[in-house]
Amino acid sequence: MTTRTKIAGAVLGAVVAGALALVPLTDDGPAADGGGDGGGSLAAGPAEKEAVPSFTATDWVSYGDQVAVVRVTAEHELREPDEGADTDGAGTGEDYLARTVDLQVKERVWARSGAPALPSSVSFTADGWQVKDGARKELGSPDSSRLEVGHEYVVTLARFSGGVWSPLGSGGVLPYDHGRVGEGEFEGRTVTSEAYRSAWEARAVPGEEPPVASRTAGKPSSAVREVLRGARPDATAARYPGLDPVTRYRKAAGGASEPAETFCSVAAPLAVSEDGRYTPEELAAVLTGLAALAGRDAAPLRAYAASLTAGDGTAAAVDDTAREASVARIERECGTDVGELLPTDM
């Protein structure tokens, strides 16, 4: 690894531009976790809020589509003339050189119900380089792997708007050399799973859900699968499985720019014309949200939702009386054709 110095203001990539400020890796000071190959640790730098949360199991199952073991097979410069140059008048001559990486999918670990199919290989923009006076210096994101050629990772991937596949965020990439989470490249250095676990445990916040990284360090990908199978998605996010991750998160976060939800806006994704696909649990989550907005007519919606989660999800297991009343309520209120209102993804 080359000597690295601090720079701020580069962006993570085209998919989630502006999500996280990057800082270069530096050889100044000891490694944060005391392990690895003696390369530099990350310099302190300004980090903005990412577009989608990505560190906990709840984040992964709420906003991720697929989790896979991948190997980085190649990297490429992404040159964009006249972009990334220093424009503050200081005359430093600094440029940002973007980088794309090619990933081969080696193992499919977990998938959200109804998620789009993951291709056998994906490419996306990753942390690149600072170029100053012809010298190139590698940039990386704090608390994240840089994604370097020859290394393997467990990655939670999502298909963003425009059909682009990319990691959910910096917390959705776990080192995975030698079949163990935490073994491999992290923050531009090679670390052991023990050092990786210690680094995350040092960042733990009492009372908050621990990240997938600390829960699975030192374990195989099957441990990640079990953690995700035991996690429950954010209830609001589960009502919008057809939206891209960023929009789904904005719905769940209830951003100030989002209009207040109404009975009909919540019911809109159920329209036959939307061609949405729902598991029994996802349909039940939408119905529960509708019940909260239905006033005195909420009982059939709640009863139908309860029958979806209590039974095996088949047509024979649901409360047909409550289902028919729910259909009538939605179509009467919103003029929306919701068909039979049965789960479509079994």
Side-chain angles (χ1 to χ4, degrees), residues 52 61-65 112-116 157-165 168 235-253 258 261 265-266 268-270 274-278 282 286:
V52 182
V61 301
S62 296
Y63 310 112
D65 289 319
R112 176 176 63 84
S113 178
L157 292 153
R159 192 169 69 177
F160 288 79
S161 60
V164 178
W165 284 94
L168 192 61
T236 302
R239 283 160 38 193
Y240 300 97
L243 298 179
D244 68 273
V246 175
T247 307
R248 201 182 316 151
Y249 173 60
R250 288 173 180 166
K251 290 281 188 181
E258 290 288 333
E261 288 186 328
S265 69
V266 173
L270 300 175
E274 294 293 322
D275 196 28
R277 300 195 64 80
Y278 297 90
E282 290 167 343
V286 177

Side-chain angles (χ1 to χ4, degrees), residues 284 287-288 291 297-310 317-323 325-326:
L287 292 165
T288 300
D297 296 331
L301 294 159
R302 289 200 176 96
Y304 181 32
S307 73
L308 287 167
T309 55
V318 302
D319 183 336
D320 266 331
T321 300
R323 178 183 62 81
S326 297

Side-chain angles (χ1 to χ4, degrees), residues 81-102:
D82 301 324
E83 292 189 12
D86 174 40
T87 57
D88 62 5
T92 59
E94 294 181 357
D95 291 325
Y96 174 67
L97 179 58
R99 179 177 67 118
T100 61
V101 291
D102 300 339

Side-chain angles (χ1 to χ4, degrees), residues 143-217:
D143 300 336
S144 180
S145 292
R146 189 172 182 270
L147 288 165
E148 297 191 337
V149 175
H151 287 280
E152 295 187 3
Y153 305 86
V154 173
V155 182
T156 176
L157 292 153
R159 192 169 69 177
F160 288 79
S161 60
V164 178
W165 284 94
S166 184
L168 192 61
S170 60
V173 180
L174 313 181
Y176 195 66
D177 288 354
H178 315 121
R180 299 177 67 191
V181 172
E183 198 88 10
E185 183 269 316
F186 180 63
E187 296 184 332
R189 298 179 296 111
T190 300
V191 299
T192 66
S193 58
E194 291 79 9
Y196 184 75
R197 180 189 295 109
S198 296
W200 282 108
E201 288 177 348
R203 295 167 169 83
V205 178
E208 292 191 1
E209 181 182 353
V212 176
S214 63
R215 297 177 66 180
T216 59

